[in-house]
Amino acid sequence: MAVEYWLVAFDSTHHALRAEAELEGAGLDIDIRPTPKTVTAGCALSIDFFPQDLEVVQRVLTEKEVVVRGYFKPDGPTYVTL
């Protein structure tokens, strides 16, 4: 069974790279990758994370004032907003 990742999308590459640094600094297992075409975002980069880490991801990004476009989870061939 494949591991399911959720993702967080951003409006700018600056925010995506800052989020990557903050989340890795918090010890989270994440991966930065191209934003899927089915996710509407202003930036070409998104961050994958494990679903069980959602609350921690949201808390870290809020505390560090990183601007987020949205949080998404896969739904078949597309993604839906959390």
Side-chain angles (χ1 to χ4, degrees), residues 16-63:
L17 295 175
R18 188 157 160 253
E20 178 187 32
E22 297 293 356
L23 294 171
E24 286 179 343
L28 291 166
D29 186 12
I30 60 152
D31 189 32
I32 196 160
R33 69 175 181 113
T35 301
K37 293 187 186 311
T38 57
V39 173
T40 302
C43 173
L45 297 175
S46 293
I47 292 177
D48 281 340
F49 61 90
F50 292 110
Q52 64 267 24
D53 292 336
L54 175 62
E55 289 181 17
V56 177
V57 169
Q58 290 175 319
R59 187 182 75 242
V60 168
L61 297 181
T62 298
E63 287 175 358

